[in-house]
Amino acid sequence: LRYDTLGPGRNEVTRDGSVLADFGQSERWTLAATYRLTEFSLLRLQYAAADLQVDGEPESVNSWFLQYQQSFGAHGAHGF
């Protein structure tokens, strides 16, 4: 479980004293579950729910990620 936040204070772009963009505050919660298939591979499912400020307007974004990771070759534990 992870929580990220951006802009809890001032989150503005300014030039010559004028505010060009105000990004407000954005937040994101992420939850991941990992299953090790073998000692050389894993499968990970991750979900992220974000409340973002886009052009000054709030926008909710939900994302799912599925990752497969496989290791090949010789490494420090033993040689092939």
Side-chain angles (χ1 to χ4, degrees):
L1 182 64
R2 183 175 74 193
Y3 173 75
D4 304 317
T5 185
L6 176 66
R10 295 182 69 176
N11 194 17
E12 302 173 336
V13 176
T14 60
R15 184 174 17 171
D16 300 327
S18 298
V19 176
L20 300 177
D22 183 358
F23 295 101
Q25 182 174 347
S26 297
E27 301 176 322
R28 178 177 59 184
W29 286 93
T30 305
L31 178 66
T34 302
Y35 177 71
R36 294 203 173 271
L37 301 167
T38 68
E39 87 180 271
F40 303 107
S41 65
L42 63 84
L43 191 62
R44 177 176 294 135
L45 180 64
Q46 181 175 326
Y47 171 73
D51 292 318
L52 308 174
Q53 291 289 327
V54 179
D55 294 330
E57 298 293 322
E59 183 176 320
S60 293
V61 177
N62 297 302
S63 304
W64 288 94
F65 302 95
L66 181 62
Q67 177 186 15
Y68 174 74
Q69 184 175 323
Q70 179 73 48
S71 300
F72 295 102
H75 51 86
H78 54 80
F80 287 99

